[in-house]
Amino acid sequence: MAPPGSAHLNFTLGGLVMAGGAMGYLRKGSTISLLAGLGFGGALVGSGILIAQNESFKGHVLASGATSVMTVAMGQRFLSSGKFMPAGMVAALGAVGLAYNAKKAIEWMPEKDD
């Protein structure tokens, strides 16, 4: 069974972030890039799995947290270095992921019982 549409962005971003972390390690020997890529990419893939298992709110909240940290951390790095690759690209992708997942988390927020 195919995952629901709202999980696709998180699976895609997760794969890209993991691949980027591996690329940073292979090209520059950056262990931090590898660990961050695997950690944040894994969180995004995990959020996609939660969404696919009908835990949409939890999945989108997890992805919102991961993408917010990516956006802030890599945005600061981009502003200090001025280099779009990789910091600006990751910050931009993180911002898109954050906007989408925050919107979806609000849509899937459970109703409060009074």
Side-chain angles (χ1 to χ4, degrees), residues 12-25:
T12 302
L13 278 177
L16 287 172
V17 170
M18 286 191 277
M23 200 64 140
Y25 178 74

Side-chain angles (χ1 to χ4, degrees), residues 100-111:
Y100 177 78
N101 282 291
K103 178 186 178 297
K104 287 296 191 178
I106 291 167
E107 286 177 17
W108 286 99
M109 189 178 301
E111 297 288 324

Side-chain angles (χ1 to χ4, degrees), residues 46-87:
S47 74
I49 292 169
L50 284 170
I51 294 164
Q53 294 175 342
N54 293 322
E55 294 286 350
S56 295
F57 177 70
K58 291 178 183 177
H60 289 298
V61 168
L62 174 61
S64 294
T67 54
S68 66
V69 173
M70 285 171 41
T71 302
V72 170
M74 296 305 273
Q76 288 175 337
R77 186 171 168 201
F78 168 67
L79 291 174
S80 68
S81 72
K83 295 180 182 179
F84 185 71
M85 288 300 287

